[in-house]
Amino acid sequence: SELPLISGEITFPGIGYVVEPKEKLGLANATAELLRDGGTQTKSREEISRILEGLAADVEISMSYDKLSVGFSCLAADTPKVFELISEMLSSPGFSEERLSLWKLQAKSEIVRRLDSPESISNIIFKNYVYGPENVLGRVSSLETIEKISRQDIIDWHHRYFSGAKPQFAITGNI
């Protein structure tokens, strides 16, 4: 017999790299990372993880050029609890300073590794040549842009782009 599972994605069109300030490239990714792992105003990251684990549920948040996506899966009976948690994560995030520091360290490490890869370097040069440095498709975060990102920048960016956002839902499974 099959388990009554639900999975889906909530997308927020227009929230992505395309609206990132070029002097703070990485801000969109930092926001997505901290929405998922920065806790909420009432729950720590660890508490959120325990709740999801107890429900055998999964929630992932990612950013792309033109949208933020929240993927989820859970037992059908737990859908209201998972939606409530997602709602809290998106509407009252904690944006933990500690998690931001960790994200910055990881992002900088990734940038350094990227510079050690001829394939990555050629990809950066190609994008810059084809799209130009002013086009969102040609921009690349750097150690400097990552360092400039503050918790307040994330709070402000979240407020600016999530207030009045119109999410789109796609849900499959035992609805």
Side-chain angles (χ1 to χ4, degrees), residues 25-26 100-116 141-149:
L25 296 178
L100 174 59
S101 295
L102 179 60
W103 176 83
K104 282 180 161 186
L105 187 64
Q106 291 169 336
K108 289 176 186 179
S109 177
E110 187 176 307
I111 289 167
V112 170
R113 281 194 311 274
R114 180 175 71 201
L115 297 175
D116 286 339
S141 59
S142 67
L143 296 173
E144 294 78 22
T145 64
I146 297 298
E147 190 55 42
K148 289 180 184 178
I149 298 169

Side-chain angles (χ1 to χ4, degrees), residues 23-126:
E23 67 278 358
K24 295 190 180 182
L25 296 178
L27 180 58
N29 273 336
T31 302
E33 180 77 19
L34 269 64
L35 282 170
R36 173 58 183 91
D37 289 333
T40 69
Q41 291 178 17
T42 62
K43 292 177 181 68
S44 69
R45 170 187 182 270
E46 294 77 15
E47 188 176 355
I48 291 169
S49 293
R50 279 193 303 274
I51 291 168
L52 290 170
E53 187 177 314
L55 296 172
D58 184 43
V59 173
E60 297 297 327
I61 300 177
S62 62
M63 192 69 71
S64 69
Y65 283 105
D66 61 351
K67 70 181 178 210
L68 176 124
S69 299
V70 181
F72 63 91
S73 63
C74 61
L75 293 171
D78 294 330
T79 304
K81 292 175 189 169
V82 172
F83 273 18
E84 185 178 314
L85 186 59
I86 290 171
S87 176
E88 184 175 346
M89 291 165 73
L90 296 176
S91 65
S92 59
F95 294 131
S96 160
E97 189 73 55
E98 180 183 328
R99 294 303 297 180
L100 174 59
S101 295
L102 179 60
W103 176 83
K104 282 180 161 186
L105 187 64
Q106 291 169 336
K108 289 176 186 179
S109 177
E110 187 176 307
I111 289 167
V112 170
R113 281 194 311 274
R114 180 175 71 201
L115 297 175
D116 286 339
S117 164
E119 183 179 341
S120 292
I121 293 170
S122 66
N123 188 28
I124 292 167
I125 292 169
F126 176 79

